[in-house]
Every structure is written in C-alpha cells, then in structure tokens.
Amino acid sequence: MPEFRVYSGGRVREVVNGDRAAVVAAVESAYKAHHAQRTVNPDSYFLRFPEHDADRIIALPAHYTEDSGERVTGIKWISSFPGNIDRGLARASAVLVLNDETTGYPVACMEAAAISASRTAAGAVLALRELDGGQGGRRTVSVIGTGVISEHVLDYLGQSGVEPERILLHDAHLPHAERLAQRLRGRFAAPVAVCGSIEEAITAGQVVVFATTAGEPHVHDPRLFAHNPVVLHLSLRDLAPEVVLAAHNVVDDVDHALKARTSLHLAELLTGGREFVHHTLPAILSGAPAPERDRPVVFSPFGMGILDLAVGNLVHSVLADTTVPVEDFFQGAERC
C-alpha cells in the first residue's frame, strides 16, 4: 500500500528557496522531456464563476518520463482571485498532488503556490539564458507588475548568467512597486528605482519582464521595443498583436500558448495563421538555434503542468524521508 504524505508551504519553500539551481535543472529536464515527446500535458481546465468573472481556478494534470525512466504523474489545482490583493492576501493559492507510478494512488499533497512561482521563474531564467545570447553580463532589468512572480524571477536571475546593472519597477498601483523596491534594495547591489510610466520602464530595459494581472493587451506601440530587448511575457496578455508580430516569438508549447485569448492567440486571430511563432524553448534547450537578436525576442510561456510536477517531485524526493506519512489515509483500500 502506498504511503501518503503532506508537505506544508514552509517546508516546500525551504526546498525551492534553498537550492534554486536544482529547481532550474528540474524544469530544464521537464522541458527536454517534452521536446523528446515523453510527456502528456493536456489542456488546462478553467473553472470560472459567472458572478466573479475575474476569478478562476485552474487544473493542470500532467505526466512525463525522466531520463532515468522514472514516471512522474500528478495535478496542480491553482486559484487566481485578484481581489485577494485588497484583502492583504496573495492573489494565487495552490496545491499539488503526486500519484504513485505503479498503483495510481496519491502519494503526496503539498502547498504549491511557491512551486508555481518557482517553476515560472525557473522557466523564465532558462529562456533568458538562451535568448540573451548565452553571454551573461550586466543588464538593465525592467519589471512590469510587482507581485510574487516578479520577485521570484528577480531572485532566480543569478541562474541565467545575467546580473542586473539596475532594476526598474513599474506597477499600475505604484505603492506595490515601492514596497518591492524596498525589499530588493536589501538583496541586490544594483540600484533599484520605480518608474512612473510603463513606457519609461520598457524603453530603458534590456530585459523586460511582464508579470501582471492584465486580461487584455495594454501595450500597443511596437516602437517601445525598438532597442530589441528580451521580453519575458509571463502574464501572456499584455502585448497587442502589433507588438507580437514585430518580434521573434518563443513559446513553451505552440498549441498551449495560442489559446484563451493570450496576446499570441489574438495575433493568430488577426492574421489567420501561426507563422509568427518562430521557436519553442524545449527545442532550443535541446540544441535548436535561438532566434537572432535583430528584433525584440518575446518569450510567452503558457505554463505547463509538467514543470509543476518536476519541482513537486524534487520537493517530494527531498522531504519524503523526513516526513511521517498520514496514518490510515487509505484505510479500507485493500481488495478482499
């Protein structure tokens, strides 16, 4: 009979914050498995509420096979309630369940908001490592939207080879940007400043991170990106089709990224095709060439359940031997 363990958010954070290089390696391994067609990653399932159309809860089931032959299976159940910010709570909350590869029984349940943020940040810095030319060095990093995801991306920057020369922050609610700036000044030697306009932040950034709650495009002018930055478009819906069509576009998975009225989906609806999507990160990590730097390079990851499983499996492998299983969780499961 499989054993069932529960990992609290505090313990999960100890793992993902304690070894960011291991988190990035786990995400890279999952991406390469996807390129090698060793994954099952169905569409995400959105539970929406007619009376609160900004709120949603999303199910991300997935399965993949590691290079070692280990099979990893499970599901992330993540909610996004933007009104939580006004309640003094994080916008997103999540749990992740891992299943035994032989019996299908659940073997672990863990708080997964930190997993979700960490795998997003790890994917972003992997993309930056590959798309910035692989040279590393000092860059002006501009961040649009100053919530949990942005903070995680900045904390993971060291895994990309890029060192911030300065950090510029912009948020539609400027006090949020000011609070993040205060925290970052204790962690980075680079100067940190808050920009009063999104245009100022974009045009100054050699690396531009979008991690907002935008539901539709609000950045329409391709000329803002004339300096050809690397754009980590993590929130997926900030850029108008005109901006998308003027860039080299990189996704995690084409079918996943071009749906649900993302900026890429809107560009597809406008043009009637997908020719403007030029590369996938799993292919680049597996040896395909990265795009030229003669245009802006925009990475738009829809977010794949296999990445949550990769990080969750890392957490499980670290914590399982130090955690007591839940007693009698499967009581009565034996077949007589």
Side-chain angles (χ1 to χ4, degrees):
M1 182 63 64
E3 295 178 325
F4 183 76
R5 289 174 167 81
V6 176
Y7 307 129
S8 69
R11 300 218 65 198
V12 170
R13 282 170 171 77
E14 288 176 7
V15 177
V16 297
N17 293 336
D19 194 346
R20 294 189 177 109
V23 173
V24 172
V27 168
E28 182 170 7
S29 178
Y31 271 140
K32 289 179 176 178
H34 189 62
H35 182 70
Q37 300 183 332
R38 300 196 310 268
T39 64
V40 181
N41 204 98
D43 286 345
S44 304
Y45 297 90
F46 285 72
L47 176 64
R48 297 188 183 275
F49 307 91
E51 64 276 19
H52 301 287
D53 57 3
D55 298 339
R56 63 188 187 272
I57 309 180
I58 311 167
L60 288 81
H63 166 84
Y64 76 100
T65 303
E66 291 273 17
D67 288 341
S68 64
E70 180 185 6
R71 295 179 295 172
V72 185
T73 303
I75 187 169
K76 181 178 74 171
W77 180 239
I78 181 166
S79 68
S80 174
F81 279 54
N84 282 347
I85 296 172
D86 295 330
R87 301 181 184 100
L89 298 172
R91 173 185 58 83
S93 60
V95 294
L96 181 100
V97 175
L98 295 176
N99 295 77
D100 178 68
E101 66 175 89
T102 301
T103 66
Y105 275 61
V107 294
C109 178
M110 63 195 77
E111 195 277 338
I115 288 173
S116 190
S118 296
R119 65 84 152 152
T120 301
V125 299
L126 279 170
L128 180 58
R129 187 189 76 190
E130 300 297 323
L131 302 178
D132 196 44
Q135 302 301 311
R138 295 172 65 80
R139 303 284 187 274
T140 295
V141 179
S142 294
V143 177
I144 316 299
T146 53
V148 172
I149 297 297
S150 293
E151 189 164 1
H152 273 73
V153 171
L154 291 168
D155 284 339
Y156 270 76
L157 267 183
Q159 305 301 320
S160 71
V162 170
E163 181 182 354
E165 183 173 45
R166 57 178 178 154
I167 298 171
L168 304 178
L169 307 177
H170 175 77
D171 197 286
H173 189 58
L174 286 179
H176 291 167
E178 294 285 1
R179 284 196 290 271
L180 179 58
Q182 291 174 7
R183 293 197 297 274
L184 296 178
R185 288 178 184 126
R187 299 204 295 252
F188 287 90
V192 180
V194 173
C195 294
S197 75
I198 191 171
E199 292 82 6
E200 178 188 358
I202 293 171
T203 55
Q206 295 160 299
V207 176
V208 182
V209 181
F210 284 91
T212 75
T213 58
E216 59 185 30
H218 56 100
V219 179
H220 296 271
D221 189 352
R223 292 173 296 180
L224 294 173
F225 303 89
H227 56 303
N228 297 343
V230 174
V231 181
L232 304 176
H233 186 207
L234 308 181
S235 38
L236 294 173
R237 295 172 176 85
D238 302 270
L239 305 180
E242 296 85 352
V243 177
V244 170
L245 296 173
H248 289 299
N249 291 288
V250 183
V251 299
D252 47 4
D253 180 275
V254 176
D255 290 333
H256 283 261
L258 275 75
K259 63 182 180 185
R261 297 189 66 80
T262 63
S263 295
L264 293 171
H265 187 203
L266 295 179
E268 180 187 28
L269 294 175
L270 179 67
T271 63
R274 297 180 167 186
E275 294 79 8
F276 58 88
V277 179
H278 306 98
H279 305 268
T280 71
L281 182 58
I284 293 171
L285 291 170
S286 301
E292 298 292 330
R293 294 301 308 280
D294 57 340
R295 288 194 244 171
V297 178
V298 178
F299 176 55
S300 300
F302 195 80
M304 305 178 71
I306 55 170
L307 308 184
D308 299 289
L309 293 190
V311 179
N313 195 50
L314 170 66
V315 170
H316 182 48
S317 68
V318 171
L319 296 181
D321 290 342
T322 65
T323 306
V324 177
V326 178
E327 187 175 357
D328 292 331
F329 188 81
F330 297 115
Q331 187 176 25
E334 296 88 349
R335 183 177 176 90
C336 298

